[in-house]
Amino acid sequence: MSKILIVDNDEGLVHFLTRLFVKQGHEVESSNDGASSLELLRSEAFDLILLDYKMPGLNGLETLAEIKRAQIKTPVIVMTAYGTTETAIEAMRLGAYDYLLKPFDSEGLKRLAADALEVNRLMKEIVSLPSSVTKVLPAAHGLVQIVGSSRQMQDVFKLIGQVAEKDVTVLITGESGTGKELVARAIYHHSHRADRPFMAVNCASIPDALFESELFGYERGAFTGAYRTYVGKFERCHEGTLFFDEVGDMSMSTQAKVLRVLQEGEFERLGGTETIRVEVRILAATNKNLEKEVEAGRFREDLYYRLKVISIELPPLRDRPDDVPPLVNYFVGRFSEEYGKSVHYVADQTIQRLQSYAWPGNVRELENCLRRAVLMCKGDVLLTEHVQFEADRDGAPGPTTRQALVDRLRRRAADLVPEILRLAEEDAEVNVLDLVEEAIVDYALRHCHHNQVHTARMLGISRNTLRHRIQKYGLGPPDA
Ligand SMILES: Nc1ncnc2c1ncn2[C@@H]1O[C@H](COP(=O)(O)OP(=O)(O)OP(=O)(O)O)[C@@H](O)[C@H]1O
Ligand SMILES: [Mg+2]
């Protein structure tokens, strides 16, 4: 649940917005002019602010300027009437998260609000470094910790401390699940840019054009569906920090454009002629070997050297067994609280078992494993029988490993959703659910050479259901 502040003198709209967000489980407060909203903001913390431009007294931009002066990090979405794009862009320059042109559709608003709330979380949830290594139970919320007592992690902490304050680019490498994103966030929180925006972009598995419009923005009319000027992440992150996750997957053509921003500090929005200047600190992460990517001609050498001014390598968890006990304490403490359990002890044997496992999925896998273990635990001692490894899944998945698989699938699917929805937004007629279903069924059919029994099994649906889908989407075999 998040806390949202709506500032607008249009009572009808306030009522509408309040209902919309309360229905989503958020807490909403409102005020009808700039001055009283500033008053409220002095005494209460919010996760998102929706600010109208046209109000008696201070207008939206003046209010926004005051909010920024008070160093309030909460993202602000400015609402302006249609045809006042200039005001909207001015709002972005002043540090608004985004703007909405009235009248707006509630789906678009919900998506925008969800994005802004995620940025709010990244900016406010402080990732802290241990000062000394003792057993630490995390504070209830707003505090995430990078845990580790191994020599390797101590070196990492030192390095973070040294580079955070400097404005250098940092490349964070390591296998999946080793904590690269966490390190990026810790660097941000310990830098003097901590009160400026932090945004993350994932460079993998997004079509090029979409990714570039996300980064550089576009002008109205730049392509079909570009019905308004869109300000990209580079502009939003001016004087802030931009995190390129999975940077090894960035396409060559995007790399060239990004390099230009790094070197010259300038770019144009898609379809735009105005050159925009920005100053952004870049952090990047990858689980690929970028040197090899450069050799293979898939990654620009000049960009590689620009990114790895400083590099931080996170070792796999199997190479630092000393970190297992403190991580176990940390996660068990957290999940125990989260699920209202009272697991107070972890048996020595359990720790030994966890330390001798190879953790192909690294800390993320350990985290998931302990989440399940805490849920399974009946008493206050975590025993070996509560622990189950993903790699042990032989034959038919048991109930817990199956749950893990479903969780993983769900997470992966959820990762793709924002992009799919954003693409679909360009055409209101598109039925996204059908589109996605069709793509999945089509893929499975091809994969199984149109063998319906195999396809149905692969999709986990009955043959009858499959036949309906084939008919619905016209997915007969190629020669039929
Ligand atoms: N040292 C650590 N202390 C506490 N939690 C950690 C640590 N390292 C990783 N985690 C947790 O493990 C999970 C995975 O970490 P993170 O997302 O940073 O990994 P990653 O290296 O970015 O992985 P990927 O390459 O798959 O994106 C997160 O939930 C993170 O909070
Ligand atoms: Mg990551």
Side-chain angles (χ1 to χ4, degrees):
M1 182 188 73
S2 301
K3 221 167 124 184
I4 301 175
L5 174 63
I6 300 166
V7 190
D8 198 323
N9 59 327
D10 177 345
E11 271 178 39
L13 188 67
V14 171
H15 183 73
F16 166 78
L17 290 173
T18 305
R19 273 194 39 183
L20 184 121
F21 287 119
V22 167
K23 220 166 152 186
Q24 290 196 307
H26 300 304
E27 192 183 326
V28 179
E29 285 192 43
S30 62
S31 80
N32 52 18
D33 66 70
S36 61
S37 71
L38 290 168
E39 194 77 14
L40 253 176
L41 283 164
R42 265 190 278 277
S43 56
E44 279 179 64
F46 290 88
D47 301 303
L48 174 64
I49 302 169
L50 294 180
L51 186 60
D52 187 30
Y53 172 64
K54 220 170 153 190
M55 295 182 293
L58 291 183
N59 72 27
L61 293 192
E62 290 159 345
T63 311
L64 175 62
E66 286 302 318
I67 292 175
K68 292 291 154 186
R69 200 162 305 144
Q71 302 205 321
I72 292 164
K73 279 178 153 192
T74 308
V76 178
I77 295 174
V78 173
M79 304 181 285
T80 67
Y82 212 84
T84 52
T85 311
E86 276 315 305
T87 316
I89 301 293
E90 182 57 26
M92 298 298 296
R93 297 233 158 95
L94 281 173
Y97 173 77
D98 208 335
Y99 65 89
L100 266 175
L101 297 179
K102 288 180 181 178
F104 44 77
D105 69 306
S106 41
E107 285 311 308
L109 170 61
K110 277 191 217 162
R111 267 199 296 280
L112 189 57
D115 283 353
L117 284 170
E118 171 63 8
V119 167
N120 176 69
R121 185 185 70 82
L122 286 175
M123 287 176 65
K124 287 198 192 149
E125 200 179 74
I126 310 251
V127 178
S128 68
L129 299 171
S131 44
S132 63
V133 185
T134 43
K135 173 179 166 181
V136 214
L137 288 182
H141 64 227
L143 203 74
V144 174
Q145 200 153 16
I146 309 190
V147 176
S149 52
S150 63
R151 190 188 41 74
Q152 296 102 304
M153 285 309 282
Q154 295 297 317
D155 288 345
V156 167
F157 298 150
K158 243 184 269 164
L159 202 50
I160 293 174
Q162 285 164 354
V163 302
E165 278 293 345
K166 316 221 166 63
D167 264 337
V168 291
T169 302
V170 183
L171 179 65
I172 307 157
T173 56
E175 289 180 9
S176 178
T178 46
K180 297 185 291 296
E181 187 184 318
L182 211 54
V183 167
R185 289 166 57 196
I187 293 176
Y188 160 71
H189 283 296
H190 291 79
S191 75
H192 62 85
R193 291 169 185 252
D195 56 351
R196 302 292 304 168
F198 174 85
M199 286 178 202
V201 279
N202 190 316
C203 310
S205 70
I206 305 176
D208 239 24
L210 196 66
F211 184 63
E212 290 189 3
S213 57
E214 195 59 53
L215 274 186
F216 304 106
Y218 49 79
E219 295 292 345
R220 193 173 147 192
F223 47 84
T224 31
Y227 59 91
R228 49 161 266 188
T229 302
Y230 181 80
V231 173
K233 290 249 160 82
F234 265 117
E235 249 175 291
R236 288 174 201 221
C237 263
H238 182 50
E239 293 179 344
T241 308
L242 187 55
F243 173 47
F244 283 117
D245 205 356
E246 312 209 31
V247 72
D249 292 300
M250 192 185 278
S251 78
M252 290 298 270
S253 76
T254 309
Q255 286 176 34
K257 293 182 186 169
V258 167
L259 185 68
R260 179 173 163 227
V261 188
L262 292 192
Q263 285 174 334
E264 331 273 340
E266 59 180 43
F267 64 93
E268 285 89 35
R269 294 191 199 116
L270 269 56
T273 49
E274 183 198 355
T275 299
I276 293 162
R277 298 204 55 86
V278 288
E279 191 278 303
V280 177
R281 181 191 198 174
I282 302 291
L283 305 176
T286 180
N287 52 21
K288 288 194 171 164
N289 181 334
L290 275 196
E291 213 156 310
K292 284 221 178 97
E293 295 298 298
V294 169
E295 272 166 30
R298 284 189 296 263
F299 204 87
R300 291 181 67 112
E301 193 172 11
D302 43 9
L303 181 59
Y304 171 59
Y305 284 109
R306 264 211 107 92
L307 291 179
K308 70 153 217 170
V309 175
I310 300 285
S311 40
I312 297 184
E313 172 152 18
L314 291 172
L317 184 57
R318 64 184 160 278
D319 291 348
R320 42 181 170 112
D322 289 354
D323 284 343
V324 171
L327 280 166
V328 171
N329 282 339
Y330 174 69
F331 287 127
V332 169
R334 223 172 74 181
F335 296 137
S336 199
E337 184 179 299
E338 192 176 323
Y339 299 123
K341 294 265 189 169
S342 48
V343 184
H344 294 307
Y345 306 96
V346 181
D348 285 350
Q349 274 174 326
T350 313
I351 298 270
Q352 278 157 22
R353 174 136 198 248
L354 293 169
Q355 267 179 318
S356 57
Y357 179 63
W359 300 113
N362 293 294
V363 184
R364 180 181 292 116
E365 188 182 347
L366 175 65
E367 181 179 355
N368 289 337
C369 168
L370 290 170
R371 184 191 294 277
R372 284 193 306 270
V374 167
L375 277 170
M376 302 283 290
C377 185
K378 298 237 162 53
D380 60 354
V381 186
L382 201 75
L383 304 169
T384 43
E385 67 194 56
H386 299 130
V387 169
Q388 212 165 7
F389 301 127
E390 283 177 29
D392 287 349
R393 208 187 324 122
D394 40 21
T400 48
T401 45
R402 168 132 173 240
Q403 187 56 44
L405 178 74
V406 171
D407 283 351
R408 205 159 58 220
L409 261 173
R410 225 179 243 143
R411 267 201 311 277
R412 296 288 300 170
D415 282 349
L416 301 174
V417 170
E419 293 313 319
I420 293 173
L421 289 180
R422 206 163 297 148
L423 262 179
E425 200 178 7
E426 289 175 15
D427 185 342
E429 306 279 284
V430 166
N431 180 329
V432 196
L433 296 185
D434 280 356
L435 212 91
V436 171
E437 187 175 69
E438 181 186 337
I440 294 174
V441 175
D442 184 42
Y443 181 94
L445 272 167
R446 285 167 201 264
H447 188 87
C448 302
H449 306 290
H450 288 268
N451 178 321
Q452 295 193 0
V453 175
H454 290 174
T455 308
R457 191 180 305 143
M458 183 180 214
L459 294 172
I461 58 180
S462 70
R463 268 190 79 182
N464 241 335
T465 309
L466 177 63
R467 272 196 219 102
H468 277 121
R469 295 301 181 273
I470 291 174
Q471 234 168 29
K472 180 173 175 185
Y473 302 122
L475 297 175
D479 52 348

